[in-house]
Amino acid sequence: MAHPVMFDDADPVLERVRRLALALPGAGEKVSHGRPAFFTTKVFAYYGGSVKVDGEYVQHPHCVVVKPEPSEREALTQDDRCYVPAYLGASGWIGVDLTDDTDWSEVAELLDDSYRQTAPARLVAELDRR
């Protein structure tokens, strides 16, 4: 059974995330579990996520879900914009809500960090040469 699509392809916030993610070497995009997923050989970011609260899933449609370095993750969990996403949170992933006040350079850094955690060494080396 296919997952329902849980995003609007014309979403301007998605477009900004997409532009940043796809600028990384070898990055591609696919729909996974109804959400945009950015990947090389492994997924390094999702657009949109959810968290389970009192047995119900609460959607975070305008967020980026990334896998930061463990030391950075600890700091992010203290930030009100961040949450531990359902399913992926147990593996070190974190969700960051995106708003009109989003610092897009911070989003670029989060994507870069997650990319470095998941991309093959040759692609990370290519990124470092840029």
Side-chain angles (χ1 to χ4, degrees), residues 87-102:
Y87 304 108
L88 296 170
S91 298
W93 292 71
I94 196 91
V96 181
D97 288 324
L98 305 174
T99 67
D100 292 338
D101 297 330
T102 294

Side-chain angles (χ1 to χ4, degrees), residues 32-80:
S32 177
H33 298 88
R35 299 188 188 280
F38 302 95
F39 70 98
T40 57
T41 56
K42 296 179 182 177
V43 172
F44 65 89
Y46 292 92
Y47 181 71
S50 64
V51 63
K52 201 168 191 178
V53 177
D54 298 327
E56 298 291 324
Y57 286 99
V58 176
Q59 299 300 315
H60 290 253
H62 302 289
C63 77
V64 65
V65 178
V66 293
K67 185 173 185 176
E69 291 183 25
S71 61
E72 182 68 19
R73 184 180 189 274
E74 189 65 34
L76 288 168
T77 61
Q78 303 305 310
D79 190 317
D80 290 340

